[in-house]
Amino acid sequence: MYDDYEFLKVEPGADRVLRITMNRPEKLNASGEVGHGEQGRIWREFDDDPDMNVALITGAGRAFSAGGDIDAGNGPAGVDTRDGRALVRNMIACRKPIVSAINGVAVGGGLAIALLADISIASERAILMDGHIKLGLVAGDHAALVWPLAIGMARSKYHLLLCDRIDGKEAAEIGLVGKCVPHEELMPTANDIAVRLARGPQFAIQATKAALNDWYLHNIAIFEHSLYMEAHSMTLPDADVGIAAVRSKSEPEFPGAVGSHRY
Amino acid sequence: MYDDYEFLKVEPGADRVLRITMNRPEKLNASGEVGHGEQGRIWREFDDDPDMNVALITGAGRAFSAGGDIDAGNGPAGVDTRDGRALVRNMIACRKPIVSAINGVAVGGGLAIALLADISIASERAILMDGHIKLGLVAGDHAALVWPLAIGMARSKYHLLLCDRIDGKEAAEIGLVGKCVPHEELMPTANDIAVRLARGPQFAIQATKAALNDWYLHNIAIFEHSLYMEAHSMTLPDADVGIAAVRSKSEPEFPGAVGSHRY
Amino acid sequence: MYDDYEFLKVEPGADRVLRITMNRPEKLNASGEVGHGEQGRIWREFDDDPDMNVALITGAGRAFSAGGDIDAGNGPAGVDTRDGRALVRNMIACRKPIVSAINGVAVGGGLAIALLADISIASERAILMDGHIKLGLVAGDHAALVWPLAIGMARSKYHLLLCDRIDGKEAAEIGLVGKCVPHEELMPTANDIAVRLARGPQFAIQATKAALNDWYLHNIAIFEHSLYMEAHSMTLPDADVGIAAVRSKSEPEFPGAVGSHRY
Amino acid sequence: MYDDYEFLKVEPGADRVLRITMNRPEKLNASGEVGHGEQGRIWREFDDDPDMNVALITGAGRAFSAGGDIDAGNGPAGVDTRDGRALVRNMIACRKPIVSAINGVAVGGGLAIALLADISIASERAILMDGHIKLGLVAGDHAALVWPLAIGMARSKYHLLLCDRIDGKEAAEIGLVGKCVPHEELMPTANDIAVRLARGPQFAIQATKAALNDWYLHNIAIFEHSLYMEAHSMTLPDADVGIAAVRSKSEPEFPGAVGSHRY
Amino acid sequence: MYDDYEFLKVEPGADRVLRITMNRPEKLNASGEVGHGEQGRIWREFDDDPDMNVALITGAGRAFSAGGDIDAGNGPAGVDTRDGRALVRNMIACRKPIVSAINGVAVGGGLAIALLADISIASERAILMDGHIKLGLVAGDHAALVWPLAIGMARSKYHLLLCDRIDGKEAAEIGLVGKCVPHEELMPTANDIAVRLARGPQFAIQATKAALNDWYLHNIAIFEHSLYMEAHSMTLPDADVGIAAVRSKSEPEFPGAVGSHRY
Amino acid sequence: MYDDYEFLKVEPGADRVLRITMNRPEKLNASGEVGHGEQGRIWREFDDDPDMNVALITGAGRAFSAGGDIDAGNGPAGVDTRDGRALVRNMIACRKPIVSAINGVAVGGGLAIALLADISIASERAILMDGHIKLGLVAGDHAALVWPLAIGMARSKYHLLLCDRIDGKEAAEIGLVGKCVPHEELMPTANDIAVRLARGPQFAIQATKAALNDWYLHNIAIFEHSLYMEAHSMTLPDADVGIAAVRSKSEPEFPGAVGSHRY
């Protein structure tokens, strides 16, 4: 099992914890097409593995994951959308608990993994940012479904529309993650939690997760709505301008700021 | 456009920000029948205006809005209910982002505008209070829909049933508004956000708002339930007593405290 | 009325406040079969009582309620499940406001009462813990319905899966309860609120509660899902091990940690 | 038990079937204030009765129930609304199965009982009509919740807005009731079903009903929305005109046909 | 009012019925960019018109509407999507009742209007077909929201996936429309209903519609999900092939039949 | 692929149709533990197969599937419940269309497959019956989720509580299946539809299915509620009696008919 991963380092433990590392540190663990696909399908393989009880995911180096690869993209729009959908759907459908150890920057699809984990532990060095609007894109992968039920609507709109950075400490204070710890305690804490869960009563744990996730499923079309609007936004001129501006670290002049009635 | 407003001062900006001021400072911007109607219909006109991207609403003088006019009312119950419904429905249906700068007291319908805005910025001098129960009325205009998804159920019931005042700082801490700033920074901050949004990628911004607002629409009958119970409560004796007590600043003796089984 | 209670002390007040005390202090007000049944049916009797407007519930001695009776249980699984369902359904369906004064430990079914109350006031000595997972059981009585809408999903999963204790102060900070006060102020504060509500406009108060509770009813099957998964978990081996470990204060070795695929 | 009913004849059977007859045949079993209250509270008493498994309700004489008493009304608006709410809420919350034998005209609140029953059997002589719009009132007691999930939206709007009569045969063909039988077979058929259910596995039967009723609870605010709009419509001039026209069997001229924008 | 329509003929009647005719009979009332825009915005103007109570829409000539213009399209994808969204959202949000007289072929956006009307009357010559799949497109404008609640899931999937034609008689039998009448009775019947509604109690009628439409709003993201998937499908190769095949009346060979895993 | 099936015969076609046959004709294709597991997992393997577009499932011999194996059961309760959950969840989550050809008796889990298929075609010889109540069990596998949205609530309760048989013709008339055909046309018709879908635009087909299935996901906890109540009912005495009675073809005397208040 797990023999078909390149972006992800996947390590099944004797303690029934599956340790997963996004492993492209030179790119801040940005995914690209291959990595994005792996981010979606790993959860089904984990779910089917009779020997693993808990997954623990983190990023190699100083980032958790910078999201899509700003240079290479996540593949053509169809593939990107399909894989983003798989990521969200499969993390929610996964019966077993997932722990994220957010060790640094978590953006876009990386942030989706960080926050769709059942237990999210952030380092004080963690930086969380949805970032879609900056790129001229709709916040389409997890936020519309996950944020209002974590930090409330007022904060969700504030942060998603303005794309301010949220550090680990603030993320814990507003309830976006379960806990924030000093950086050096991140991996021990997350590991401890994963091991503890792995020793626990698995049906009770999985079932408690399942009941809580009903809240997501009862509103799943909100995610889908946002996802396919994001796909739509990739075909509009603002996306080109936004992506170029992020690449060049310049200020974008969105054509869609004039004549928004055209869309 | 915008030539038919009396209570609202409406100023379209070259920066694509529509600046709206509730402008009856001698009455703490309490609405009355005319103003309440304007509070409901402005959002559709704004939404249809091809030149405006963002609305920024605040109150003239030291209040945001004291809600309905305690002396004159908001018109007959039918009109009041219709206009309150339009206010809530139209702010939610408006595709474009709305920013509220809560400069002082925000009560009743005024509070509904403050909190249905997509980005709510409160001054440290802001005072938020639903206030319906004090008047012997059901909290009927926005709270049952908006508060649980902003600050959670426990806090919503606590504040809505007890009508304690929430100042701007606490409102930000519990997530009822996006941010609280010192009073002198309120308008610059809110203006800055509005201008920033107006320069952004409009489809991406509007679409992100739309996906988040699905949460409201998926539960819209909760608002309607509360609205028409409020209309019903206007026909019961407690309302007369409550309104009289607020006018005379005396302690009400609600007849409905005895024999609540009659309703 | 109220002449058929043994576990609960029920005192109707001339001030229209029904004071209810869980009264088995030698067992930390753990319920047992009789008490669990009473915890479910009291709310309908209260709702039907034309003379009472508000219920105020607390625990005798130093605990609020330790939940089920770890030695005697809450009766056979069928009875326990039926009564747990009645507790949650009836508290939600009750038109009148309920105030809880959480004076100490609140666990399991005791916690359900504490948090399904409309106004929850915690002492600084309060300790809130769901605790089901520790027993090898699914968190099945109220948490899956109530917690995400109170403190958000991230915190809900963190606390429900890990069963950490939450003290009164933290509970108020994260929005699990409405307010935390010093221990000696608990009963005066809760009493004050109950009396104030009892003097208020009852239709307005009941109707505001009803609209807010629509959020629960719109998702009521989530509660049911969790409840009957808990009943199912009582038939699995982890429950025996978990309950034995809590009794003996030893570390459980859950058989379900290995081979979770069997369920 | 059951000693406090006047409008309803309530007969507990040794076969565990509670036979209930709306018994005011000279008024086509129109309820009036007393009867309407009984229609709401009987279901809780039945639910609490350890000896009864199934309720079977029909009308004395040639009608099932003509609904509210067009002459005397169902009491003041507050009482009428409260009791209508109890009727719908309590029939849905009742764990035990209810069978209706629709022997003739079923209108308004009578129709609500006919269709909120779990098994509805219509005689070929049955006439079903919501009838609210004819009276100038909102279709507020059960239809908005029940009809779309029984016969679909297109038919629901067609029949509710136009108030055409539906006979028993058509009601069965479109799925508004479970079955239509020749008049002389009505009571034997309904009785047979009630007895059969009373001999069945009660938990399985009650639980199957409960799961199906989740569909209603997940949308319960739709009912509440309609109910309180009906209460609101009672305060508008169209109601007076509509009720007068039905009494005098003349054609109404609704003032609300002109200037509907006033509400 | 109504002075800005080209595709639609709009005739306000002294009987408070607004008669609307899709008027491009030489193209079977296919919309094109201009017409599609008008199909979306007419409902808001109607809703705001204090003199009109009911809208009655039909098609000129022998078709109701063939949907989008297969040759010219409905404008660029962004515009098409925006206008399709307006059509659905505005028909649902419109407080006043809309009657459709389906006189012939109703496909795509034309079918959306036919079925989102509150009262749909079909001629025996009516042909209803969603048709999206034939074009290689997702059934994105109204069907996913409207059909399951009209004719049930099994029939919805059958007809939407297979694109079989449904004639007026079958449409009435399965509940997709309210009624089917012989062709020569179509306009008299529909007109009669419109006039009857226009003379009715408008608040009661509008409010009954509003409560029923809560079912749509509670699930509105399902529509949005389908709409933006349709927009996405327009960017995929199957759409070109499907549209070309319909134009040339040949059998399409969809590239997406092979390698569907690419999307 | 597909090399691990015993109960199911799985035949991938060059026409991209995966033909699946429940193949234990001597037991009327009753599943048993092995078969029940296969009925749950086949859909994920099919979904992951890049070469198959459509699944077509039928039964060998004269039955579709008699459901669980009345003699051997479907394995211990935990396994049975887990597999029943997988069956429902995986058929709904499967992106690709599934066609069922209901050639004879379809009961219990067999009926779940028949009706969770996207296109259900019944032979005139088909017999559909939920059957749970007859066994003393809660109707727990698909019916509470699927039936109300197919045939409406009145018919769902009628058939699920009374367990009458529905033949193929009636099933089509009430909308429980998409179509009924003469027995000899069943396989040609179903095959034709499967092949036609397999040649179609796969993204458009899959996406249309996905949007429609949002209706199920938005209410998925209703299924879970019913499923775990069924598991609970397996622990109650009625189940033993009911199963024994079906085995012996005698009339059961359910102990739960007396004292239903115990559960």
Side-chain angles (χ1 to χ4, degrees):
Chain A
M1 297 189 78
Y2 311 117
D3 48 7
D4 192 23
Y5 293 89
E6 178 179 308
F7 170 75
L8 298 178
K9 190 167 73 178
V10 184
E11 299 166 295
D15 53 5
R16 299 189 172 272
V17 175
L18 186 72
R19 288 173 181 80
I20 305 169
T21 310
M22 292 180 279
N23 192 22
R24 207 184 169 203
E26 70 284 5
K27 282 282 197 176
L28 296 176
N29 306 318
S31 53
E33 182 169 350
V34 168
H36 202 222
E38 295 180 8
Q39 286 172 329
R41 66 184 158 87
I42 182 67
W43 312 108
R44 274 171 78 154
E45 196 164 355
F46 161 54
D47 211 24
D48 288 340
D49 180 349
D51 294 323
M52 294 296 110
N53 286 352
V54 179
L56 168 56
I57 187 164
T58 192
R62 63 196 174 84
F64 183 76
S65 165
D69 186 325
I70 195 71
D71 298 316
N74 282 336
V79 170
D80 188 7
T81 301
R82 178 200 67 194
D83 289 342
R85 188 170 185 260
L87 190 164
V88 173
R89 288 266 182 167
N90 291 349
M91 285 188 81
I92 291 175
C94 181
R95 296 169 309 152
K96 301 174 182 175
I98 300 167
V99 179
S100 65
I102 313 171
N103 56 308
V105 164
V107 175
L111 185 58
I113 292 176
L115 299 183
L116 282 164
D118 301 295
I119 307 272
S120 305
I121 308 295
S123 155
E124 285 177 346
R125 293 192 199 151
I127 298 291
L128 292 76
M129 189 179 74
D130 183 78
H132 281 87
I133 300 281
K134 264 185 195 298
L135 295 166
L137 299 176
V138 178
D141 42 30
H142 77 292
L145 182 66
V146 171
W147 289 42
L149 214 49
I151 60 172
M153 189 63 103
R155 282 173 173 148
S156 295
K157 285 185 171 172
Y158 184 90
H159 287 297
L160 291 172
L161 294 179
L162 298 179
C163 291
D164 283 348
R165 286 153 176 250
I166 303 174
D167 63 31
K169 196 154 159 292
E170 186 186 356
E173 279 167 9
I174 62 179
L176 194 55
V177 300
K179 197 174 193 172
C180 175
V181 295
H183 189 70
E184 59 280 8
E185 293 175 25
L186 177 67
M187 291 314 298
T189 302
N191 194 63
D192 204 57
I193 286 170
V195 170
R196 192 167 142 198
L197 287 171
R199 283 187 194 145
Q202 297 306 304
F203 177 77
I205 288 170
Q206 293 178 9
T208 297
K209 169 178 176 171
L212 290 161
N213 275 7
D214 286 342
W215 282 93
Y216 288 149
L217 294 171
H218 279 195
N219 292 283
I220 196 70
I222 298 177
F223 157 65
E224 300 279 3
H225 180 194
S226 73
L227 179 75
Y228 286 98
M229 288 197 294
E230 182 181 1
H232 189 53
S233 68
M234 290 177 186
T235 69
L236 300 177
D238 284 348
D240 299 330
V241 170
I243 292 167
V246 170
R247 277 185 193 151
S248 63
K249 300 191 180 179
S250 62
E251 203 61 26
E253 294 216 22
F254 290 111
V258 183
S260 68
H261 274 64
R262 278 185 227 122
Y263 315 113
Chain B
M1 298 189 77
Y2 309 117
D3 47 8
D4 192 24
Y5 292 90
E6 178 180 308
F7 170 75
L8 298 178
K9 190 167 73 177
V10 184
E11 300 167 295
D15 53 3
R16 299 188 172 272
V17 175
L18 185 73
R19 287 172 182 80
I20 305 170
T21 310
M22 291 179 281
N23 192 22
R24 205 184 169 205
E26 70 284 6
K27 282 282 197 176
L28 295 178
N29 306 317
S31 52
E33 183 170 349
V34 168
H36 201 223
E38 295 180 7
Q39 286 171 331
R41 65 184 159 87
I42 182 68
W43 313 110
R44 274 171 77 155
E45 195 165 353
F46 161 53
D47 211 24
D48 288 340
D49 181 349
D51 295 324
M52 294 296 110
N53 286 352
V54 178
L56 168 56
I57 186 163
T58 193
R62 64 195 172 84
F64 184 76
S65 165
D69 187 324
I70 195 72
D71 299 315
N74 282 334
V79 170
D80 188 7
T81 302
R82 179 200 64 194
D83 289 342
R85 188 170 185 259
L87 190 166
V88 173
R89 287 266 183 167
N90 291 348
M91 286 189 81
I92 291 174
C94 181
R95 297 169 308 152
K96 301 173 183 176
I98 299 167
V99 179
S100 65
I102 313 170
N103 55 308
V105 165
V107 175
L111 185 58
I113 292 177
L115 299 185
L116 281 164
D118 302 294
I119 308 271
S120 304
I121 308 295
S123 155
E124 286 177 347
R125 294 191 199 152
I127 299 291
L128 291 76
M129 190 180 73
D130 183 77
H132 282 85
I133 300 281
K134 266 185 194 297
L135 295 165
L137 299 176
V138 179
D141 42 29
H142 77 292
L145 182 66
V146 171
W147 288 43
L149 215 49
I151 60 172
M153 188 63 102
R155 280 172 173 148
S156 295
K157 284 184 171 172
Y158 184 89
H159 287 297
L160 292 172
L161 293 179
L162 298 179
C163 291
D164 284 348
R165 289 156 174 247
I166 303 174
D167 64 31
K169 194 153 161 292
E170 187 187 355
E173 279 166 10
I174 62 179
L176 194 55
V177 300
K179 197 175 193 172
C180 175
V181 295
H183 189 70
E184 59 280 9
E185 293 176 26
L186 177 68
M187 290 315 298
T189 302
N191 194 63
D192 203 58
I193 285 170
V195 170
R196 194 166 141 197
L197 287 172
R199 283 187 194 144
Q202 297 306 305
F203 177 77
I205 288 171
Q206 293 178 9
T208 297
K209 169 179 175 171
L212 290 161
N213 275 8
D214 286 342
W215 282 94
Y216 288 149
L217 293 172
H218 279 194
N219 292 283
I220 196 70
I222 297 176
F223 157 65
E224 301 278 3
H225 180 194
S226 73
L227 179 75
Y228 286 97
M229 286 197 295
E230 183 181 1
H232 189 52
S233 69
M234 290 177 187
T235 69
L236 301 177
D238 283 348
D240 298 331
V241 170
I243 291 168
V246 169
R247 276 185 194 150
S248 63
K249 300 193 179 176
S250 62
E251 202 61 26
E253 294 217 23
F254 290 112
V258 182
S260 68
H261 275 63
R262 280 186 226 123
Y263 316 114
Chain C
M1 299 188 77
Y2 311 118
D3 48 8
D4 192 25
Y5 293 89
E6 178 180 307
F7 170 76
L8 297 178
K9 189 167 73 177
V10 184
E11 299 167 295
D15 53 4
R16 299 189 172 273
V17 175
L18 185 73
R19 287 172 182 81
I20 305 170
T21 310
M22 290 179 281
N23 191 23
R24 205 184 171 205
E26 70 283 6
K27 281 282 197 177
L28 297 176
N29 306 318
S31 53
E33 183 170 350
V34 169
H36 202 222
E38 295 180 7
Q39 286 172 330
R41 65 184 159 87
I42 182 67
W43 313 110
R44 274 171 78 154
E45 195 164 354
F46 161 53
D47 211 24
D48 288 341
D49 180 348
D51 295 323
M52 294 295 110
N53 286 351
V54 178
L56 168 56
I57 187 163
T58 193
R62 62 195 174 85
F64 183 76
S65 165
D69 186 324
I70 195 70
D71 298 315
N74 282 334
V79 171
D80 187 7
T81 302
R82 179 201 65 193
D83 289 341
R85 188 170 185 258
L87 190 165
V88 173
R89 288 265 182 167
N90 291 348
M91 286 188 81
I92 292 174
C94 181
R95 297 169 309 151
K96 300 175 183 175
I98 300 166
V99 180
S100 65
I102 313 169
N103 56 308
V105 165
V107 175
L111 185 58
I113 292 177
L115 299 183
L116 281 165
D118 301 295
I119 308 270
S120 305
I121 309 294
S123 154
E124 285 177 346
R125 292 192 200 151
I127 299 290
L128 291 76
M129 190 179 73
D130 184 77
H132 282 85
I133 299 281
K134 264 186 196 296
L135 295 164
L137 299 176
V138 178
D141 43 29
H142 77 293
L145 182 66
V146 171
W147 288 43
L149 215 50
I151 60 171
M153 189 63 102
R155 280 173 174 147
S156 295
K157 284 185 171 172
Y158 184 89
H159 287 297
L160 292 171
L161 294 179
L162 298 178
C163 291
D164 283 347
R165 288 157 174 247
I166 303 174
D167 64 32
K169 194 152 161 292
E170 187 186 355
E173 279 167 10
I174 62 178
L176 195 55
V177 299
K179 197 174 193 172
C180 175
V181 295
H183 189 69
E184 58 280 8
E185 293 175 25
L186 177 66
M187 290 315 298
T189 301
N191 194 63
D192 204 58
I193 286 171
V195 171
R196 192 167 142 198
L197 287 172
R199 284 187 193 144
Q202 297 307 305
F203 177 77
I205 288 170
Q206 293 177 9
T208 297
K209 170 179 175 171
L212 290 161
N213 275 8
D214 286 343
W215 282 94
Y216 288 148
L217 293 172
H218 279 194
N219 292 283
I220 196 70
I222 297 177
F223 158 65
E224 302 278 4
H225 180 194
S226 73
L227 179 75
Y228 286 96
M229 286 197 295
E230 183 180 1
H232 188 53
S233 68
M234 290 177 187
T235 69
L236 301 177
D238 284 346
D240 299 329
V241 170
I243 292 167
V246 169
R247 277 185 194 152
S248 64
K249 300 194 180 177
S250 63
E251 203 60 27
E253 295 217 22
F254 290 110
V258 183
S260 68
H261 275 63
R262 278 185 226 123
Y263 315 112
Chain D
M1 297 191 77
Y2 311 118
D3 47 8
D4 192 24
Y5 293 89
E6 179 179 305
F7 170 75
L8 297 178
K9 190 167 72 176
V10 185
E11 299 168 295
D15 53 3
R16 300 188 171 272
V17 174
L18 185 73
R19 288 172 183 80
I20 306 170
T21 310
M22 292 180 280
N23 192 22
R24 205 184 172 204
E26 70 283 7
K27 282 281 197 177
L28 296 176
N29 305 319
S31 53
E33 182 170 350
V34 168
H36 202 221
E38 295 179 7
Q39 286 172 330
R41 64 184 160 87
I42 182 68
W43 313 108
R44 273 170 79 154
E45 196 165 354
F46 161 53
D47 211 23
D48 288 341
D49 181 349
D51 294 323
M52 294 295 111
N53 286 352
V54 178
L56 168 56
I57 186 163
T58 193
R62 64 195 173 84
F64 184 76
S65 165
D69 185 324
I70 196 71
D71 298 314
N74 281 336
V79 170
D80 188 8
T81 302
R82 179 201 65 192
D83 289 341
R85 188 170 185 257
L87 189 164
V88 174
R89 287 265 184 167
N90 291 349
M91 286 189 80
I92 292 174
C94 181
R95 296 169 310 152
K96 300 174 183 174
I98 300 167
V99 179
S100 65
I102 313 170
N103 56 308
V105 165
V107 175
L111 185 59
I113 292 176
L115 299 183
L116 282 164
D118 301 295
I119 308 272
S120 305
I121 309 295
S123 154
E124 285 178 347
R125 294 193 199 151
I127 299 290
L128 292 74
M129 189 180 73
D130 183 76
H132 281 86
I133 299 280
K134 265 186 195 296
L135 295 165
L137 299 176
V138 179
D141 43 28
H142 77 292
L145 182 67
V146 171
W147 288 42
L149 215 50
I151 60 172
M153 188 63 103
R155 281 172 174 150
S156 295
K157 285 184 170 172
Y158 183 89
H159 287 297
L160 291 172
L161 294 179
L162 298 179
C163 290
D164 283 348
R165 287 154 175 250
I166 304 174
D167 64 31
K169 193 153 162 291
E170 187 187 356
E173 279 167 9
I174 63 179
L176 195 54
V177 300
K179 196 173 193 172
C180 175
V181 295
H183 189 70
E184 59 281 8
E185 293 175 25
L186 177 67
M187 290 316 297
T189 302
N191 194 63
D192 203 58
I193 286 171
V195 170
R196 192 167 142 199
L197 287 172
R199 283 187 194 146
Q202 298 305 305
F203 177 77
I205 288 170
Q206 294 178 9
T208 297
K209 169 178 176 174
L212 290 162
N213 275 8
D214 286 343
W215 282 94
Y216 289 148
L217 294 172
H218 279 194
N219 293 284
I220 196 70
I222 297 176
F223 157 64
E224 301 278 2
H225 180 194
S226 73
L227 179 75
Y228 286 97
M229 287 196 295
E230 182 181 1
H232 189 53
S233 69
M234 290 177 187
T235 69
L236 301 177
D238 284 348
D240 298 330
V241 171
I243 292 167
V246 170
R247 277 185 194 151
S248 64
K249 299 192 180 178
S250 62
E251 202 60 28
E253 295 217 21
F254 290 111
V258 182
S260 69
H261 275 64
R262 280 187 225 121
Y263 316 112
Chain E
M1 296 190 78
Y2 311 117
D3 48 8
D4 192 24
Y5 293 89
E6 178 179 307
F7 170 74
L8 298 178
K9 189 167 72 176
V10 185
E11 299 167 294
D15 53 3
R16 301 189 171 273
V17 174
L18 185 73
R19 286 171 183 81
I20 305 170
T21 310
M22 291 180 281
N23 191 21
R24 204 183 170 206
E26 70 283 7
K27 282 282 196 175
L28 295 177
N29 305 318
S31 53
E33 183 170 351
V34 168
H36 202 221
E38 295 180 7
Q39 286 172 330
R41 65 185 159 86
I42 181 67
W43 312 109
R44 274 171 78 155
E45 195 164 354
F46 161 53
D47 211 23
D48 288 340
D49 181 348
D51 295 324
M52 294 296 110
N53 286 352
V54 178
L56 168 56
I57 187 163
T58 193
R62 64 197 172 83
F64 184 75
S65 164
D69 186 325
I70 194 72
D71 298 316
N74 281 336
V79 170
D80 188 8
T81 302
R82 179 200 66 194
D83 289 342
R85 188 171 185 257
L87 190 164
V88 174
R89 287 265 183 168
N90 291 348
M91 287 189 80
I92 292 174
C94 181
R95 297 170 308 153
K96 301 174 182 175
I98 299 167
V99 179
S100 64
I102 312 170
N103 56 308
V105 165
V107 175
L111 186 58
I113 292 177
L115 299 184
L116 282 164
D118 301 295
I119 308 272
S120 305
I121 309 295
S123 153
E124 286 178 346
R125 293 191 199 153
I127 299 290
L128 292 77
M129 189 181 72
D130 183 77
H132 281 85
I133 299 281
K134 265 186 195 297
L135 295 165
L137 299 176
V138 178
D141 42 30
H142 77 292
L145 182 65
V146 171
W147 289 41
L149 215 49
I151 60 172
M153 188 63 102
R155 281 172 174 149
S156 295
K157 285 184 171 172
Y158 183 89
H159 287 297
L160 291 172
L161 294 179
L162 297 179
C163 292
D164 283 348
R165 289 154 175 249
I166 303 174
D167 64 33
K169 194 151 161 295
E170 187 187 355
E173 279 166 9
I174 63 178
L176 195 54
V177 300
K179 196 174 193 174
C180 175
V181 295
H183 189 70
E184 58 282 9
E185 293 174 27
L186 177 67
M187 290 316 298
T189 302
N191 193 63
D192 203 57
I193 286 170
V195 170
R196 192 167 142 197
L197 287 173
R199 283 185 194 147
Q202 297 306 305
F203 177 77
I205 289 170
Q206 293 177 10
T208 298
K209 169 178 176 173
L212 290 162
N213 275 8
D214 286 342
W215 281 94
Y216 288 149
L217 293 172
H218 278 195
N219 292 284
I220 196 71
I222 297 176
F223 157 64
E224 301 278 3
H225 181 193
S226 73
L227 179 75
Y228 286 97
M229 286 196 296
E230 182 181 0
H232 189 54
S233 69
M234 290 177 187
T235 69
L236 301 177
D238 283 348
D240 299 330
V241 170
I243 292 167
V246 170
R247 276 185 194 150
S248 64
K249 300 190 180 179
S250 62
E251 202 60 29
E253 295 217 21
F254 290 111
V258 183
S260 68
H261 274 63
R262 280 185 224 123
Y263 317 111
Chain F
M1 299 189 77
Y2 311 117
D3 47 9
D4 192 24
Y5 293 89
E6 180 179 304
F7 171 75
L8 298 178
K9 189 167 75 177
V10 184
E11 299 167 295
D15 53 4
R16 300 187 171 273
V17 175
L18 185 72
R19 286 172 184 81
I20 305 170
T21 310
M22 292 180 280
N23 192 22
R24 206 184 170 204
E26 69 284 6
K27 283 281 196 177
L28 296 177
N29 305 318
S31 53
E33 183 170 349
V34 168
H36 202 221
E38 295 179 7
Q39 286 172 328
R41 65 184 160 87
I42 181 68
W43 313 110
R44 274 170 78 154
E45 194 165 354
F46 161 52
D47 211 23
D48 288 340
D49 180 349
D51 295 324
M52 294 296 110
N53 287 352
V54 178
L56 168 56
I57 187 164
T58 193
R62 64 197 173 84
F64 184 75
S65 164
D69 185 325
I70 195 71
D71 299 315
N74 281 336
V79 170
D80 187 7
T81 302
R82 179 200 65 193
D83 289 342
R85 188 170 186 256
L87 190 164
V88 174
R89 288 265 183 167
N90 291 348
M91 286 189 80
I92 291 175
C94 181
R95 297 169 309 153
K96 301 174 183 175
I98 300 166
V99 179
S100 65
I102 313 170
N103 55 308
V105 165
V107 175
L111 185 59
I113 292 177
L115 299 183
L116 282 163
D118 302 295
I119 308 272
S120 305
I121 309 295
S123 154
E124 286 177 346
R125 293 191 200 153
I127 299 290
L128 292 75
M129 189 180 72
D130 183 77
H132 281 85
I133 299 281
K134 266 186 194 297
L135 295 165
L137 299 176
V138 179
D141 43 29
H142 76 293
L145 182 66
V146 171
W147 288 43
L149 215 49
I151 60 171
M153 188 64 102
R155 281 172 174 150
S156 295
K157 285 184 170 173
Y158 184 89
H159 287 297
L160 292 172
L161 294 179
L162 298 178
C163 291
D164 283 348
R165 288 156 174 247
I166 303 173
D167 64 32
K169 194 153 162 292
E170 186 187 357
E173 279 166 9
I174 62 179
L176 194 55
V177 300
K179 197 174 192 171
C180 175
V181 295
H183 189 70
E184 59 279 9
E185 293 175 27
L186 177 67
M187 290 316 298
T189 302
N191 194 63
D192 203 58
I193 286 170
V195 170
R196 191 167 142 200
L197 287 172
R199 283 186 193 146
Q202 297 306 305
F203 177 77
I205 288 170
Q206 293 178 10
T208 297
K209 169 179 176 173
L212 290 161
N213 275 7
D214 286 343
W215 282 94
Y216 288 148
L217 293 172
H218 279 195
N219 293 283
I220 195 71
I222 298 176
F223 157 65
E224 301 277 2
H225 180 194
S226 73
L227 179 74
Y228 286 97
M229 287 197 294
E230 182 181 1
H232 189 54
S233 68
M234 290 177 186
T235 69
L236 301 176
D238 283 348
D240 298 330
V241 170
I243 292 168
V246 170
R247 276 184 196 152
S248 64
K249 301 194 179 176
S250 63
E251 202 61 27
E253 295 217 22
F254 290 111
V258 183
S260 68
H261 276 64
R262 280 187 224 123
Y263 315 112

